[in-house]
Amino acid sequence: GASSTGGGGGGRRRRLVSRSKTYPHTFEQLIAASTPTSDTPVELEQFTCLREEEETSHLCKIRRAQESLFNIRCDCSDVTHFVPCPCAPQRSLPYDFDIQFRRWKETQAFWLVPKILSNHKEVARQLTLLDHDAFAAVTEEDLLGFTKKVNLPIEDYPSIEFCTNHCRHLENTVMTIVLSSEEREERITILEHFIDIAHQCLLLRNFFAVYAIASAALSSAAVRNLTGNLRGISPRHERLFSELRDITHPRRLDKLYHTLLRVNDTKPTVPFLTIHMTRLIAINGDYPDSLARGLINISKRRLVYREFEEIRRFQKLEYNLIEVREVMEFFTEFETIPEEECYLRSEIVKRKEEDRREGKR
């Protein structure tokens, strides 16, 4: 009996030893296992914003490695063998965020807005969930009809109208927050927050929000008139914003965008729908439906199918993130300045600043 028990224990030990060869146990193995392989295309290597900034300390690397492999606070993870946890990441918010949000909702005090925006990672996550919902709501019928009959009003295609209005609301929200700040130091802080949020959206493959924030809102005439091309932000934010703007630049957008889509294309993504719509409009304009003698143009059908298949694939890939209703509500219910009044608002704030400087002299 003793020998059989020992043999059984030895068998269990042997199984554990053989299994330990599969999973990393040392810190060095743990860090190496969590470090992604470098498969970035050559044309994207210059963009440092596509990768998270490295933390230099050994303890930071260990912590990040552990977080990437398993969630210590979750019962689903196998801590002994480092099995990745399927649960969504925990909220990345300070303990007093709920208090700050309730105070902002009750008083609409603007000094609380930078505090809410300072939670870059969680704000980017919630924007990504909102953007993906708007993108996933677009139907193939509306998309095909709108790209074939471009002269019809957008109201005839409700899903595209909803997605377009959502994008415009995000752009106007960003512009309104920047233009509502009458103090230069506070405005610089807000600009840096939005650049960090756009960067986090890029890491989440939310190209929809990257374009809305970096290319449409922060590069708008109203914001540039007031901020002087974002003068005063830190060198790190200058570099980040320059790269984000390069990625969304019209001359490079088509090539870089599709290169970015091909990298990790199995991950959830919010694509920039306008690019796909533009390509569908070009296909419908350049290729006839039928060829000579009434033959169906199969080449055109293949091109259209390829675009629809890519859109459909990203619509089905959902993000594994926890909803934070307070952050979502902040962006969906924020009272914005009408787009046509933004430039006038920037002129008013600019004159007030000039008057204050003259008064000090």
Side-chain angles (χ1 to χ4, degrees):
S3 61
S4 63
T5 305
R12 282 195 294 273
R13 280 195 295 274
R14 280 194 295 273
R15 282 195 293 273
L16 286 176
V17 169
S18 63
R19 186 180 296 179
S20 69
K21 295 178 182 178
T22 306
Y23 298 96
H25 276 250
T26 66
F27 286 148
E28 289 73 17
Q29 289 174 313
L30 181 62
I31 294 169
S34 67
T35 304
T37 56
S38 178
D39 55 354
T40 305
V42 176
E43 57 266 38
L44 299 180
E45 288 181 351
Q46 60 175 310
F47 295 102
T48 57
C49 62
L50 293 175
R51 54 183 179 270
E52 294 191 56
E53 294 184 1
E54 288 295 325
E55 294 178 277
T56 55
S57 72
H58 189 62
L59 289 175
C60 285
K61 289 183 179 180
I62 293 170
R63 176 181 55 77
R64 292 182 62 188
Q66 290 173 335
E67 288 176 355
S68 67
L69 285 177
F70 60 90
N71 189 342
I72 298 175
R73 290 166 291 186
C74 179
D75 296 332
C76 301
S77 60
D78 188 342
V79 179
T80 307
H81 301 108
F82 302 105
V83 176
C85 173
C87 298
Q90 297 293 320
R91 297 193 339 167
S92 179
L93 292 170
Y95 69 93
D96 60 342
F97 176 80
D98 295 337
I99 299 174
Q100 293 177 0
F101 178 78
R102 284 199 301 270
R103 188 181 301 174
W104 171 81
K105 194 169 182 180
E106 292 170 359
T107 64
Q108 296 293 306
F110 188 79
W111 64 271
L112 288 167
V113 171
K115 292 182 177 293
I116 295 174
L117 295 178
S118 65
N119 306 290
H120 311 135
K121 184 174 289 188
E122 196 58 57
V123 169
R125 288 173 179 172
Q126 301 311 309
L127 283 179
T128 298
L129 290 175
L130 288 171
D131 296 343
H132 190 271
D133 287 346
F135 163 68
V138 175
T139 63
E140 294 181 0
E141 293 78 12
D142 283 355
L143 194 58
L144 185 60
F146 181 77
T147 53
K148 288 192 73 171
K149 302 173 183 178
V150 293
N151 294 327
L152 293 180
I154 195 172
E155 289 79 10
D156 293 348
Y157 310 99
S159 64
I160 293 180
E161 182 185 19
F162 173 74
C163 189
T164 303
N165 290 340
H166 172 74
C167 184
R168 287 177 179 169
H169 180 74
L170 176 57
E171 295 170 11
N172 287 350
T173 300
V174 175
M175 286 193 290
T176 299
I177 292 175
V178 173
L179 299 176
S180 297
S181 176
E182 298 186 358
E183 298 294 332
R184 183 174 179 273
E185 291 75 14
E186 182 184 56
R187 189 162 55 248
I188 290 172
T189 301
I190 290 173
L191 290 171
E192 291 179 345
H193 285 330
F194 275 124
I195 292 171
D196 284 325
I197 291 169
H199 180 214
Q200 290 297 323
C201 287
L202 180 63
L203 296 176
L204 288 167
R205 293 176 61 81
N206 182 0
F207 304 107
F208 187 99
V210 173
Y211 179 84
I213 296 174
S215 186
L218 297 187
S219 299
S220 65
V223 173
R224 285 188 286 109
N225 175 58
L226 182 59
T227 62
N229 289 325
L230 279 66
R231 185 172 56 249
I233 61 176
S234 70
R236 184 181 76 85
H237 287 94
E238 281 185 5
R239 173 181 55 78
L240 269 180
F241 181 68
S242 176
E243 292 184 357
L244 291 170
R245 196 166 50 179
D246 283 345
I247 288 173
T248 56
H249 194 280
R251 293 180 183 175
R252 311 180 66 181
L253 185 57
D254 190 64
K255 180 181 177 182
L256 278 175
Y257 171 74
H258 287 285
T259 304
L260 286 166
L261 281 186
R262 288 197 302 270
V263 179
N264 297 325
D265 61 352
T266 58
K267 291 185 177 181
T269 302
V270 186
F272 184 40
L273 188 61
T274 304
I275 288 287
H276 297 275
M277 292 172 61
T278 303
R279 288 171 70 89
L280 285 169
I281 291 172
I283 291 169
N284 285 315
D286 296 344
Y287 296 87
D289 289 333
S290 302
L291 301 174
R293 293 178 293 181
L295 296 175
I296 296 175
N297 190 345
I298 298 298
S299 298
K300 177 178 180 178
R301 300 298 194 279
R302 287 198 183 101
L303 291 172
V304 172
Y305 174 79
R306 194 178 302 160
E307 292 295 325
F308 274 94
E309 181 62 22
E310 191 168 52
I311 292 171
R312 190 185 305 116
R313 180 161 54 88
F314 288 131
Q315 284 180 327
K316 291 179 180 178
L317 287 172
E318 296 184 351
Y319 284 88
N320 185 23
L321 298 171
I322 296 174
E323 289 188 0
V324 181
R325 303 307 305 177
E326 293 85 355
V327 179
M328 289 184 170
E329 190 177 330
F330 174 81
F331 281 95
T332 55
E333 299 183 6
F334 197 92
E335 188 174 350
T336 62
I337 302 172
E339 192 173 353
E340 59 274 10
E341 297 179 13
C342 285
Y343 193 86
L344 177 61
R345 171 67 182 175
S346 71
E347 282 290 328
I348 293 173
V349 176
K350 192 175 180 180
R351 288 172 187 170
K352 285 183 179 179
E353 284 189 351
E354 292 174 352
D355 291 343
R356 282 199 297 269
R357 283 197 295 269
E358 289 295 329
K360 289 180 180 179
R361 291 177 186 175

